[in-house]
Amino acid sequence: LSGEATIDVFRFAFRRVRFPHSVNTEWFVVDLIQNRAMAGLDVETLRQTLRAALMDGRFDVVQLQQMADEYGTRETQAIVTDAIREVTPTPLRGAV
């Protein structure tokens, strides 16, 4: 269940999220993109950092796109797809 709780003087936010049975790094990237405001990241910094990480080969682009498609919002999917398009010579899926 999602919700908030205060324990002593600390306030905690609990949220229910879908995640794969076998969690991989790429899922955590998608989760970070979706929760960037809570992490204090602006979208442009996130885009630049994601592009740099993809160029360095830190993530499996196919798995990243799959995680975004399955677990991400449309906005998250667009951020991931755009970053992948910018750093890969060939589109991964039906991109024009």
Side-chain angles (χ1 to χ4, degrees), residues 65 81-82 84-85 90-96:
Q65 187 68 66
T81 300
D82 291 346
I84 291 171
R85 281 183 184 154
T90 308
L92 295 178
R93 54 189 169 108
V96 177

Side-chain angles (χ1 to χ4, degrees), residues 17-55:
V17 296
R18 287 185 55 227
F19 57 91
H21 292 289
S22 177
V23 178
N24 58 26
T25 303
E26 290 75 14
W27 180 84
F28 284 106
V29 171
V30 169
D31 189 58
L32 175 63
I33 293 168
Q34 294 197 162
N35 296 291
R36 65 187 172 277
M38 289 174 59
L41 295 171
D42 66 273
V43 72
E44 191 52 42
T45 300
L46 187 104
R47 287 177 195 270
Q48 291 173 3
T49 304
L50 180 58
R51 283 192 302 263
L54 289 168
M55 289 175 68

